[in-house]
Amino acid sequence: LMYSGGENSAPFLDIAEPAPRGHVPELAGKKIGERSGGYMLMKPLADTVAELGIDVEYDTRIRRLVVDDEDRVVGVLATTYGKPVTVRAARGVVLATGSFAYDTEMIDRYTPRLSGRPGAAIEEHDGIGIRLAQALGAELAHMDASEVAIFGDPQMMARGILVNGRGQRYVTEDTYPGRIGQATLLQNDNQAFLIIDETSLEEALATESATPFFRFQPKWVAETVAELEAEMGLPAQTLQTTVATYNQHAEHGTDPLLGKKPEWVRPIKGALACFDLRGFTAGFTLGGLRTDLDSRVLHVSGEPIEGLFAAGRCTSGLCAYGYVSGASLGDGSFYGRRAGKAAAAG
Ligand SMILES: Cc1cc2nc3c(=O)[nH]c(=O)nc-3n(C[C@H](O)[C@H](O)[C@H](O)COP(=O)(O)OP(=O)(O)OC[C@H]3O[C@@H](n4cnc5c(N)ncnc54)[C@H](O)[C@@H]3O)c2cc1C
């Protein structure tokens, strides 16, 4: 387990005893990005489906929900290999169609900060499940919430300082990168510059756990902060004030402004590099259908829509604005199981 959500950084480490909760999967033949956590999660699920002899229909896209005279959901209209099909649902329909990260119209309307940015999701996340349920009067929640990844090396960010377009620090650099991404895109106009001195940069690159990803050249290098400030086109004294304030406290190993942990705090000295992280964010949406504890989709009246359940990113999940890695899989697995049980009992 690892600290994957900023649990051991400010302000959380003073609120609760930090507990590592992110999974670092161990499996034979592990290959990051190809055969890792996702594989380890899906393989047993797929094997169990096969062992139980459950019917699976591939390449079947849902188009409409079907209701009876009492407005109970009793089936779906879909397309299988291009041909229309109808499916009768004896006990209920569980929507698990993902987010709306790839529906431009919905992104523009609900999460405009993500407009024009790459979606950290698969292209099938087109919001269809949300739209279909809306057509039956479903309630939505937290439609403006989004996860935001930032493509920066945590080892480098923790050792440097991140400043916005005004040359000011705005987030604890040793926290969960998703938190840095949200602070960058949602609160600082997607302006992020990582400033790090030569000594710290060399140390970050030599770290055993250094990532092979996020390796690129700095946009500017300079011998002094004043020189870097001018190169970046910042008003005189803005960046110099930021670094002077940071260094004043860093001499004593503290960061009273934002609370970076002492192990990462050191004065910025000597030759400097500045990595331009503007536009280095991507996200997926976190809002969706309002559901209850049994994953029943709620109508705007507050009552459940009979026969309709939903789980995963097409619902408004547990995390909303305070997204942490793992919360997505939790929303899918926990509420998927609740939905299955509730539907089976229907
Ligand atoms: C690079 C990356 C890293 C991530 N890392 C983590 C992590 O470490 N921890 C974590 O918790 N989350 C992580 N996530 C997020 C997480 O993987 C997703 O949010 C989660 O898988 C969504 O689950 P879901 O069941 O809602 O949707 P999905 O697993 O995407 O399933 C939705 C399914 O619905 C299908 N579908 C869509 N439309 C239709 C239709 N009309 N008819 C029929 N089927 C349809 C799609 O084809 C898809 O198979 C990561 C995501 C990315 C992109």
Side-chain angles (χ1 to χ4, degrees):
L1 291 175
M2 63 183 278
Y3 297 103
S4 61
E7 300 88 349
N8 61 343
S9 66
F12 311 113
L13 82 173
D14 293 326
I15 297 171
E17 190 180 330
R21 44 159 293 284
H23 293 91
V24 185
E26 285 176 19
L27 70 160
K30 180 173 173 176
K31 202 166 177 200
I32 301 275
E34 283 179 34
R35 189 186 158 101
S36 184
Y39 178 86
M40 201 173 175
L41 178 75
M42 293 309 296
K43 176 97 172 60
L45 287 175
D47 288 350
T48 304
V49 166
E51 271 164 34
L52 294 176
I54 293 168
D55 287 336
V56 181
E57 300 291 338
Y58 295 102
D59 197 19
T60 300
R61 303 204 67 74
I62 181 173
R63 306 282 180 205
R64 295 280 188 282
L65 292 166
V66 182
V67 294
D68 67 10
D69 291 342
E70 269 98 53
D71 288 339
R72 183 188 164 84
V73 175
V74 290
V76 300
L77 300 184
T79 314
T80 296
Y81 293 103
K83 292 207 176 109
V85 291
T86 54
V87 181
R88 176 154 190 106
R91 292 179 174 164
V93 171
V94 180
L95 295 170
T97 47
S99 75
F100 57 94
Y102 271 94
D103 186 84
T104 311
E105 203 181 298
M106 290 175 81
I107 289 282
D108 287 349
R109 185 181 313 164
Y110 296 114
T111 58
R113 290 269 177 192
L114 293 181
S115 292
R117 309 221 49 72
I122 54 169
E123 288 171 14
E124 287 81 359
H125 281 212
D126 60 3
I128 180 88
I130 297 171
R131 294 290 186 104
L132 296 183
Q134 267 188 295
L136 303 187
E139 178 72 293
L140 305 179
H142 298 307
M143 289 298 279
D144 57 338
S146 55
E147 176 269 359
V148 185
I150 184 160
F151 304 113
D153 180 349
Q155 292 285 349
M156 283 162 59
M157 292 196 286
R159 287 176 173 82
I161 58 167
L162 280 165
V163 300
N164 60 18
R166 298 191 186 94
Q168 296 164 333
R169 287 178 71 216
Y170 61 93
V171 67
T172 327
E173 293 88 353
D174 61 347
T175 194
Y176 169 55
R179 236 181 131 237
I180 295 176
Q182 283 185 328
T184 302
L185 180 66
L186 307 180
Q187 288 148 22
N188 286 281
D189 285 331
N190 216 14
Q191 305 282 304
F193 302 92
L194 170 63
I195 293 165
I196 185 166
D197 65 28
E198 199 170 5
T199 313
S200 294
L201 179 58
E202 281 172 5
E203 190 183 288
L205 295 177
T207 316
E208 204 183 314
S209 58
T211 168
F213 309 112
F214 314 138
R215 290 281 166 265
F216 45 89
Q217 295 297 314
K219 176 143 185 181
W220 297 285
V221 288
E223 293 300 320
T224 65
V225 180
E227 194 186 313
L228 180 61
E229 184 181 75
E231 293 267 5
M232 292 171 70
L234 289 168
Q237 296 302 328
T238 47
L239 186 62
Q240 291 183 76
T241 306
T242 295
V243 174
T245 307
Y246 179 77
N247 280 353
Q248 184 182 335
H249 299 288
E251 295 286 355
H252 309 289
T254 62
D255 176 28
L257 192 65
L258 294 172
K260 184 155 72 168
K261 285 197 298 298
E263 64 189 282
W264 304 115
V265 174
R266 71 201 64 179
I268 295 170
K269 284 187 177 152
L272 299 156
C274 176
F275 292 86
D276 185 349
L277 300 183
R278 283 176 294 183
F280 275 53
T281 51
F284 55 80
T285 58
L286 298 171
L289 300 169
R290 190 183 284 281
T291 48
D292 69 6
L293 197 54
D294 286 322
S295 304
R296 297 181 298 180
V297 175
L298 299 179
H299 187 265
V300 286
S301 67
E303 294 298 314
I305 297 175
E306 291 296 319
L308 188 61
F309 305 81
R313 278 283 72 86
C314 66
T315 66
S316 169
L318 288 171
C319 46
Y321 305 98
Y323 186 78
V324 290
S325 281
S328 285
L329 298 181
D331 280 336
S333 55
F334 180 82
Y335 283 105
R337 192 175 160 80
R338 305 277 309 180
K341 281 190 165 183

